Amino acid sequence: MPRPCWLAGSVALLAAAFGLAWHNCFSGAFVYDDTPARVDNASIRQWWPPGPVLTGMRPDLTVSGRPLGNLSLAVNYALGGTDPAGYHAINLLIHLLAGLALFGVIRRTLRRPALRDRFGPDSTWLALAATGLWLVHPLQTEAVTYTVQRVESLMGLFFLLTLYAFIRAAEAPRPGWWQAGAVAACLAGMASKEVMVSAPLVVLLHDRTFFAGSFRAAWVRRRWLYVGLGLTWLPLAYWVATTGGRAGSAGFGGAVTSWEYARIQCLAILHYVRLAAWPHPLVFDYGILNNPPLGAVLPRALLLAGLLAATAVAVARRRPAGFLGAWFFLILAPSSSFVPVVTESLAEHRMYLPLAALLVLAVLALHRVIGWRGLPVAAALALGLGAVAAERNRDYRSEFGLWQDTVEKRPDNARADNNLGYLWLGRDRLGDAERCFREALRLQPAYPSAHYNLGIVLARTGRDAEAVVQLLEAVRLEDDFDDARVNAGNALLRLGRAAEAAGLYEAALRRQPDAPDVHYDLGLAFDRLGRTAEALAQFEAAAKDRPAFAAARFGAAEALRRLDRVPEAIAAYRSALEADPSNLGARLMLGNLLLLSRQPDGAIAQYEQILRQQPGNPGVLQNLRQARAMKQAAGTAP
């Protein structure tokens, strides 16, 4: 056992490391998937009653099919709206609670008969050292500081609580409540993220390795617990089905085959192990990795096969190291084996729980070499890791800085260039944005989003003909890319090619019939083509879908005037002015129609209103004189 002074000093170092690692995470901004999941996610606006928040997520969100994760966001929204600090605080609390659960799991496991003689007396400080390293490791920043990845840490918390509750149940003379707690925690984990699917298997393996001695004995002693744990797979299957393959980003039949994805994972898993030992460089987004050549994969695949074989042998012989190896591989398996995650071949947040197995193994190895002196060594190491984690958290202070960092570390990542360009576009730095989009397309020519964004830049810089080429290429690559279709129509309209523009707008409306902006654009195209009645129908549809759409109301009034439907046009101009009183063109035309309809009082009121804004306007002054003369003539008539 370590001396009291060493123990107290080590605990202080671990606490300092935790504070150092996470003190600056609260200043992190919303980045990438945070915005759709938190800012644009209508389902979190109200957390009670829970029906909409548990079932109303869009399938393209990180929290889709993960109702507990979405509910936690709704609670955050209720407490503090979209202020990022509150979300970071909850993320950090989840991480700390997960650390406490991990401490309990390690400490109680080390006191089992298979490990008691070697590690039992030092179980508390060994658990403290491993947990401390896990809590501050820089590899955890993506799961903790990237706020939408709360789904990973929340799943990790319930995974660890499931295992902890099982251990307490196996040790208790009356295990009922602990078993119920294990099943409840397992269900909550399934509602947090799909990786939880391996939790019942890990519990069974822990039981067989440290308690029952065989799978058969584990089943005989605790069959109802395993029935309960297994039943949690049913709601998980339902939640997965509701996502529709996570909007096409995961599952079989996509752009990446299982064989290609498995080859990539041979590199990815060993990369994770290297980052666990040396966490540099840490990368926010690795992009869509190319299928690596077999020559590069084969040595790593053989190494992984060896590790898997060693794990299988150790599990067969009921070695504790086998459980740690199985922990690592089973938790990684759902995302890092052969089921393609097309948009994310490699992601550091996947190591949130697997990292614990590697750190426990390292701490136990350190104990074997230098005994209790491993505690201050681990504490000092935790302090260094905490400093690295704090430095990494600085990158999350702004989305712009994070994508710049990603481009520097992964210059072959087309998605990083595209996202950085998008941020430049938001800052109106069009030259920098264009450079990023062209680089993204150099790296990945068939990239619809980059073609679209480049088209927007070209349109904003007056190069409409070039913009049309890029926008239509985005449509060719992604047929349902209606934003690209509509913006191509807008550029064609500016080029005087109204018939082509109208065709694009009509195609977009077939998929989105309730899009007021597209109805308005189509109305403009029809107006240019002289199809006034059809233009009127589109302007009226736009105003119906969005009653405050002043431009659509004005367009309808103009069409009615050209169709000589004067009384209706007068009413439409009044409606347009209700929506936008500053529209002097609508006010002038209303005055003219009132004058034409021999309503001089109304015409005079409109002209005088215009002259308050444009005193001395000669055309309006002339019309005003005519209206006053008409009124005077009407007043002197017998």
Side-chain angles (χ1 to χ4, degrees):
M1 288 290 292
R3 298 170 185 171
C5 61
W6 281 105
L7 183 60
S10 299
V11 170
L13 275 179
L14 288 170
F18 183 83
L20 177 62
W22 304 111
H23 77 281
N24 59 348
C25 74
F26 301 98
S27 60
F30 286 151
V31 298
Y32 199 32
D33 286 341
D34 284 337
T35 299
R38 300 176 189 276
V39 181
D40 302 333
N41 182 2
S43 69
I44 68 170
R45 298 293 186 266
Q46 183 176 334
W47 67 275
W48 193 265
V53 75
L54 295 177
T55 60
M57 301 84 77
R58 297 194 331 248
D60 59 331
L61 299 179
T62 302
V63 289
S64 65
R66 299 160 180 175
L68 193 59
N70 203 50
L71 179 61
S72 75
L73 300 186
V75 173
N76 252 132
Y77 187 86
L79 294 174
T82 58
D83 180 13
Y87 294 87
H88 287 296
I90 296 297
N91 276 28
L92 188 57
L93 177 62
I94 291 169
H95 184 50
L96 180 59
L97 292 174
L100 293 175
L102 178 63
F103 173 83
V105 167
I106 297 171
R107 179 170 173 269
R108 288 183 175 274
T109 300
L110 292 177
R111 293 181 174 185
R112 297 304 305 156
L115 298 170
R116 183 184 301 149
D117 292 341
R118 279 182 293 171
F119 304 116
D122 295 328
S123 59
T124 298
W125 77 258
L126 286 169
L128 184 65
T131 301
L133 291 169
W134 183 81
L135 281 171
V136 304
H137 199 287
L139 198 51
Q140 305 289 49
T141 51
E142 186 167 293
V144 179
T145 311
Y146 181 21
T147 58
V148 79
Q149 283 305 332
R150 171 183 302 180
V151 292
E152 187 82 43
S153 57
L154 195 63
M155 178 280 301
L157 169 61
F158 289 116
F159 195 112
L160 293 166
L161 286 175
T162 300
L163 188 54
Y164 179 77
F166 155 73
I167 294 172
R168 295 301 302 268
E171 294 175 340
R174 295 182 178 179
W177 285 109
W178 284 111
Q179 289 186 348
V183 174
C186 193
L187 179 61
M190 300 292 182
S192 300
K193 194 174 183 182
E194 299 87 329
V195 178
M196 189 72 184
V197 68
S198 59
L201 302 178
V202 172
V203 170
L204 177 61
L205 186 59
H206 190 282
D207 191 355
R208 181 256 195 182
T209 305
F210 300 108
F211 287 93
S214 70
F215 291 121
R216 178 180 176 80
W219 172 256
V220 169
R221 293 181 188 178
R222 284 175 278 274
R223 64 166 55 90
W224 293 114
L225 170 63
Y226 292 113
V227 168
L229 294 176
L231 286 174
T232 64
W233 283 327
L234 297 178
L236 175 63
Y238 167 75
W239 289 321
V240 170
T242 62
T243 68
R246 308 207 66 79
S249 66
F252 303 107
V256 178
T257 67
S258 296
W259 170 241
E260 291 170 341
Y261 191 74
R263 288 166 65 170
I264 293 170
Q265 296 315 301
C266 290
L267 280 63
I269 292 171
L270 292 177
H271 180 71
Y272 297 148
V273 174
R274 186 192 68 77
L275 287 178
W278 187 259
H280 181 81
L282 295 176
V283 178
F284 176 66
D285 177 40
Y286 287 83
I288 300 173
L289 303 185
N290 295 322
N291 186 26
L294 191 59
V297 173
L298 189 57
R300 294 168 175 83
L302 291 173
L303 177 56
L304 271 180
L307 292 173
L308 280 166
T311 297
V313 170
V315 167
R317 295 179 177 178
R318 295 195 293 273
R319 299 282 191 258
F323 174 76
L324 290 175
W327 170 287
F328 179 83
F329 286 114
L330 284 172
I331 296 174
L332 274 179
S335 61
S336 303
S337 54
F338 58 87
V339 181
V341 183
V342 178
T343 57
E344 202 172 48
S345 303
L346 193 155
E348 291 168 4
H349 61 78
R350 294 175 183 165
M351 278 294 287
Y352 185 75
L353 276 181
L355 179 63
L358 300 181
L359 293 176
V360 168
L361 195 61
V363 167
L364 295 183
L366 190 64
H367 175 269
R368 189 177 185 89
V369 175
I370 59 176
W372 66 263
R373 293 174 183 82
L375 175 60
V377 171
L381 181 59
L383 200 61
L385 291 172
V388 177
E391 185 62 27
R392 177 58 175 162
N393 281 331
R394 291 169 61 88
D395 294 328
Y396 284 84
R397 289 180 300 179
S398 76
E399 187 170 19
F400 185 81
L402 189 60
W403 284 116
Q404 277 191 316
D405 177 76
T406 305
V407 168
E408 291 170 5
K409 292 173 178 175
R410 298 288 295 188
D412 59 344
N413 183 349
R415 186 162 59 202
D417 277 296
N418 182 58
N419 289 339
L420 181 59
Y422 182 79
L423 294 174
W424 281 124
L425 182 60
R427 297 184 176 196
D428 210 29
R429 295 276 295 272
L430 301 184
D432 291 315
E434 181 176 349
R435 173 182 52 78
C436 288
F437 298 141
R438 290 194 183 278
E439 176 63 12
L441 289 171
R442 185 189 69 80
L443 294 168
Q444 187 179 330
Y447 193 169
S449 179
H451 280 292
Y452 171 77
N453 288 329
L454 178 57
I456 296 299
V457 169
L458 293 170
R460 286 178 59 176
T461 52
R463 292 174 281 174
D464 282 320
E466 297 174 67
V468 168
V469 173
Q470 296 298 327
L471 293 166
L472 290 182
E473 179 64 10
V475 172
R476 187 188 70 80
L477 293 168
E478 191 174 305
D479 184 62
D480 61 351
F481 203 156
D482 285 323
D483 283 346
R485 190 173 270 112
V486 169
N487 278 284
N490 294 343
L492 286 167
L493 201 59
R494 289 191 294 270
L495 291 168
R497 295 157 62 180
E500 295 171 77
L504 291 172
Y505 297 142
E506 287 175 318
L509 284 170
R510 282 193 288 272
R511 217 182 325 266
Q512 302 178 55
D514 298 326
D517 290 308
V518 186
H519 279 294
Y520 175 75
D521 292 335
L522 181 56
L524 293 178
F526 282 152
D527 188 61
R528 299 274 181 89
L529 293 168
R531 296 159 60 177
T532 308
E534 292 170 274
L536 172 62
Q538 295 302 319
F539 291 137
E540 288 178 336
K544 179 181 178 182
D545 290 339
R546 189 192 300 161
F549 199 162
R553 292 190 183 192
F554 179 66
E558 290 282 272
L560 286 164
R561 178 179 61 82
R562 283 193 288 274
L563 291 169
D564 291 326
R565 293 162 59 177
V566 174
E568 293 171 83
I570 289 174
Y573 281 122
R574 292 190 188 279
S575 175
L577 286 169
E578 288 176 7
D580 180 13
S582 67
N583 188 339
L584 298 185
R587 198 170 294 283
L588 176 62
M589 295 311 302
L590 175 59
N592 292 345
L593 288 182
L594 290 169
L595 183 61
L596 181 66
S597 303
R598 308 193 68 79
Q599 300 179 50
D601 288 334
I604 290 169
Q606 299 304 321
Y607 295 143
E608 288 178 341
Q609 182 71 17
I610 296 171
L611 289 170
R612 292 190 189 98
Q613 302 295 319
Q614 297 179 351
N617 185 310
V620 177
L621 287 170
Q622 182 178 350
N623 289 351
L624 178 60
R625 285 193 292 270
Q626 291 180 16
R628 286 173 174 169
M630 181 182 293
K631 178 179 181 181
Q632 184 177 5
T636 59

